[in-house]
Amino acid sequence: MVSLDRRFHALADPTRRAVLERLGPGEATVGELAQPFPLSLPAFLKHLRVLEEAGLIETEKRGRTRICRLRNGAYAPLAAWLDDQRRLWEERTDRLAELAIAMEESADAKHDQDRRE
Amino acid sequence: MVSLDRRFHALADPTRRAVLERLGPGEATVGELAQPFPLSLPAFLKHLRVLEEAGLIETEKRGRTRICRLRNGAYAPLAAWLDDQRRLWEERTDRLAELAIAMEESADAKHDQDRRE
DNA sequence: AATACAGTTAACCGCACGGCTAACAGTTTT
DNA sequence: AAAACTGTTAGCCGTGCGGTTAACTGTATT
């Protein structure tokens, strides 16, 4: 299994994210992918390698060209981690809300008590 | 607005992700956060800086200690990007499915035609 | 067979990243 | 006032990342 480190690192670059965005709707060759970027081909190839080793894309050589496509379930582990964190956060705010309510009730009780005195 | 580059880069490190996980349930001081890690304090502080400049946490100095907490909506832009990409992917597979159905119908038609001949 | 095309490998380069130690600064505590 | 505690800054260092050019491989085209 590829580490979250590799996956997140792969996304921390605008060129690589652009490639993924381009690959969302459908597959493309190395040349087609590289065309929009002001990069040498070797530099661009390194980005593709990073994406492939992060398990985000898969590639296949057909003749003298190589076609690239998004991997099935590529984003699942990343989305899962984010969802976990958001869940933790919301559980926390829920607890805070309960606490606030409890304090309010306690304050009301004190208020009633004051009135009775 | 903080770039996606910074945000994703901040997540591409196990120490920093661990800090975020720790901070999910509630806030903590620098010392409490640093304690589990086999790092010098200056090294650890750099990680906190990265997280703060990525807009993921916010910190506040109280006396001689500094307390750190998760920022509200910290993960929203990241989750949004991921969701966009997954949407693109699913639209693509939907189109492929439609195409497959269309081809099947076409094949059926051809088949019927063959039978009629 | 020669040429062009698409990608790949190798070797290098500057710089930012992640780590360290040492010294300093501002708050509590005693 | 002195000592202890909690961060913080400064400066250094090795490694890896993102980029380059040059040379090469293998596949189509003519």
Side-chain angles (χ1 to χ4, degrees), chain B residues 57-108:
Chain B
I57 69 172
E58 57 192 12
T59 74
E60 176 193 351
K61 189 125 192 183
R62 198 106 56 100
R64 70 180 164 182
T65 75
R66 176 178 294 276
I67 70 150
C68 309
R69 72 181 72 87
L70 217 47
R71 252 197 60 184
N72 198 333
Y75 301 118
L78 300 166
W81 188 86
L82 282 182
D83 283 353
D84 283 355
Q85 299 316 308
R86 306 229 271 181
R87 211 198 64 239
L88 281 181
W89 169 264
E90 297 190 355
E91 282 174 9
R92 171 191 164 275
T93 51
D94 286 353
R95 279 204 313 281
L96 285 185
E98 279 179 31
L99 187 60
I101 291 170
M103 283 173 66
E104 202 171 323
E105 280 168 357
S106 164
D108 288 352

Side-chain angles (χ1 to χ4, degrees), chain A residues 1-95:
Chain A
M1 192 52 177
V2 186
S3 70
L4 280 180
D5 286 33
R6 279 189 185 280
R7 292 176 190 275
F8 276 122
H9 172 245
L11 296 188
D13 179 285
T15 300
R16 290 193 291 258
R17 282 200 308 280
V19 167
L20 293 174
E21 288 165 9
R22 166 66 211 276
L23 244 34
E27 59 192 34
T29 70
V30 170
E32 289 165 354
L33 287 174
Q35 184 268 328
F37 303 99
L39 277 183
S40 67
L41 233 91
F44 184 78
L45 265 189
K46 286 189 187 175
H47 285 299
L48 286 187
R49 281 269 173 87
V50 171
L51 287 172
E52 190 163 17
E53 285 174 7
L56 293 169
I57 68 171
E58 58 192 11
T59 74
E60 176 193 352
K61 191 126 190 182
R62 197 103 58 98
R64 69 181 165 183
T65 77
R66 176 177 294 276
I67 71 151
C68 310
R69 72 181 72 86
L70 217 48
R71 252 198 60 184
N72 198 333
Y75 301 117
L78 300 165
W81 188 87
L82 282 181
D83 283 353
D84 283 354
Q85 299 316 307
R86 306 228 271 182
R87 211 199 63 238
L88 282 181
W89 169 264
E90 297 192 356
E91 281 173 9
R92 170 191 165 275
T93 52
D94 286 354
R95 278 205 313 282

